[in-house]
Amino acid sequence: MNAPLLFSSLKIRGVEFKNRIFVSPMCQYSSEDGLPTDWHLVHLGSRAVGGAALVVVEATAVSPEGRISPQDSGLWSERHAEAFSRVTRFIKEQGAVPGIQIAHAGRKGSTPVPWDKSSGKNVPPDKGGWIPPAPSPIAFDADYAVPREMSVADAEKVARDFGKAARLARQAGFEVLELHFAHGYLVHEFLSPLSNQRKDAYGGTLDNRMRLALAAAESVRRQWPEEFPLFARISATDWSPGGWDLPDSIALAGWLKALGVDLIDCSSGGMVPHAKIPLGPGYQTPFSEAVRREAKILTGAVGLITEPSQAEDILAQGKADAVFLARELLRDPYWPLHAAKALGADVPWPKQYERAKA
Ligand SMILES: Cc1cc2nc3c(=O)[nH]c(=O)nc-3n(C[C@H](O)[C@H](O)[C@H](O)COP(=O)(O)O)c2cc1C
């Protein structure tokens, strides 16, 4: 049997990944004032112990009003960088690479944590929430707040905030940074004509709608060390007529590549509440395949990847350079160790667990 590709190493810039299994960013709604808590150390640490090559911290806001819920993680001060350094240290001790996704929630911000069913779709300003900003004053859905339309100065500040968060991420010890340009959050709201109806330099043409994404990427690449990889997660399609779609994504990927983005993490959706998404195993992998082929850039596939042989096939068929797993790694943090066994790869287990390997 040939050595499985899933357990082959990958080098991007100066960083070596021991395999192709990446922990997809997952909000935990367990931060205090944006700071990670013990929950983060144990949750992220377990996935590093479990053998993933890259552990990406959840969508982490570049400013307080960039959070989804008030319990979201943030990276807007030295205090946040210092708090995250405990998490990055532990992940590195396990031989994994620590990464973080930096984000701004836009019109989908100021919402309660998902398990709080009592307080409607928005947390009001007098209860720790805020009026969410967006490119245009169009609510995500009827029961969401109507956002405040951002000024040009607001958009310029968001790009600067992404850059500042990159500097803080470096200080915290992260070695991979992922820009969150997907799932109907702020940058995606600028990209998609469904949420962006501006008449200025940030709206209308594709170039104008991409302006914030490119400015944020440029600002980040200036702060983020040359030797460290930069990823961007995009929604490759809105799954909605008149919305953002695959050809736009391929164009965006080309521009991002020119600005020093190394890998496109190909997700989809999140822009409109009632999109018809054909869910099924690997349903977003065709986007990764197309972006990889057309924009000639490294890609990650994500979405309902749960089986070792499925992940291996995606790589073997040239559809992606790495796989991001989310829910399967919540069900089983040791999935990479189990997948190695299933595919016949001999990977080291943590020395503390060696007696269980047999
Ligand atoms: C609990 C949870 C939190 C999530 N939070 C984020 C996030 O912070 N950023 C992001 O880009 N995607 C987020 N996602 C989406 C996942 O990263 C992933 O793209 C999606 O779950 C599909 O992959 P899966 O089928 O392997 O779960 C989240 C998903 C879950 C289940």
Side-chain angles (χ1 to χ4, degrees):
M1 185 161 55
N2 290 335
L5 279 174
L6 193 59
F7 291 92
S8 62
S9 64
L10 172 68
K11 189 162 184 206
I12 309 179
R13 295 185 184 251
V15 174
E16 176 126 0
F17 301 90
K18 64 184 172 187
N19 60 48
R20 309 298 181 103
I21 304 165
F22 293 175
V23 179
S24 201
M26 280 179 278
C27 287
Q28 298 296 296
Y29 312 99
S30 300
S31 301
E32 289 162 14
D33 199 18
L35 298 164
T37 59
D38 288 355
W39 176 263
H40 293 89
L41 180 68
V42 175
H43 161 68
L44 298 160
S46 307
R47 270 91 208 144
V49 169
L54 169 67
V55 179
V56 185
V57 174
E58 69 195 70
T60 295
V62 298
S63 61
E65 68 171 14
R67 290 173 293 179
I68 305 172
S69 78
Q71 287 74 25
D72 273 27
S73 134
L75 192 52
W76 58 78
S77 78
E78 312 270 323
R79 209 156 64 96
H80 294 85
E82 174 58 29
F84 271 117
S85 63
R86 187 171 169 228
V87 175
T88 59
R89 200 161 46 238
F90 184 83
I91 291 173
K92 284 186 230 180
E93 280 166 11
Q94 312 316 313
V97 176
I100 188 164
Q101 186 187 52
I102 54 173
H104 192 302
R107 69 177 181 176
K108 288 168 90 175
S110 194
T111 54
V113 299
W115 47 84
D116 175 2
K117 308 286 182 210
S118 61
S119 48
K121 282 285 197 265
N122 282 101
V123 180
D126 62 347
K127 298 242 165 61
W130 54 93
I131 307 292
S136 302
I138 307 165
F140 173 65
D141 202 1
D143 47 2
Y144 275 72
V146 175
R148 153 181 89 75
E149 182 173 342
M150 290 167 64
S151 66
V152 166
D154 290 335
E156 289 167 351
K157 178 172 183 301
V158 167
R160 285 197 305 276
D161 286 344
F162 269 83
K164 181 178 169 199
R167 178 175 62 72
L168 292 167
R170 174 191 188 178
Q171 212 172 303
F174 289 104
E175 294 178 350
V176 165
L177 198 63
E178 178 167 277
L179 305 165
H180 197 352
F181 290 175
H183 300 170
Y185 296 112
L186 187 72
V187 176
H188 184 190
E189 287 161 22
F190 272 86
L191 292 173
S192 174
L194 299 177
S195 46
N196 180 350
Q197 297 182 0
R198 298 176 73 94
K199 304 274 180 268
D200 62 9
Y202 286 84
T205 64
L206 178 62
D207 281 356
N208 282 356
R209 283 179 282 116
M210 289 195 299
R211 193 172 304 280
L212 178 60
L214 301 183
E218 207 175 355
S219 162
V220 162
R221 198 66 263 190
R222 271 202 299 273
Q223 299 288 337
W224 188 238
E226 270 295 303
E227 69 269 25
F228 290 160
L230 179 60
F231 296 0
R233 172 166 276 197
I234 61 167
S235 278
T237 177
D238 286 344
W239 299 110
S240 188
W244 181 262
D245 218 339
L246 183 58
D248 305 320
S249 293
I250 291 167
L252 176 63
W255 286 107
L256 291 173
K257 182 181 171 188
L259 291 172
V261 170
D262 302 296
L263 179 144
I264 306 291
D265 172 4
C266 297
S267 189
S268 74
M271 170 50 57
V272 289
H274 307 296
K276 286 201 172 50
I277 303 180
L279 291 173
Y283 70 104
Q284 295 174 146
T285 301
F287 302 128
S288 165
E289 183 182 10
V291 170
R292 188 172 187 264
R293 187 183 59 239
E294 301 298 328
K296 299 188 176 36
I297 187 167
L298 300 176
T299 60
V302 64
L304 290 174
I305 301 169
T306 56
E307 298 298 326
S309 59
Q310 178 197 13
E312 179 66 13
D313 288 349
I314 290 171
L315 300 173
Q317 292 163 10
K319 295 178 176 172
D321 298 281
V323 289
F324 286 80
L325 273 65
R327 287 163 294 180
E328 190 59 21
L329 283 168
L330 294 186
R331 287 185 280 268
D332 178 9
Y334 308 107
W335 190 91
L337 302 179
H338 295 146
K341 188 164 184 227
L343 296 175
D346 186 23
V347 301
W349 279 35
K351 57 184 180 299
Q352 297 90 337
Y353 288 4
E354 264 168 10
R355 286 173 64 186
K357 188 176 175 187

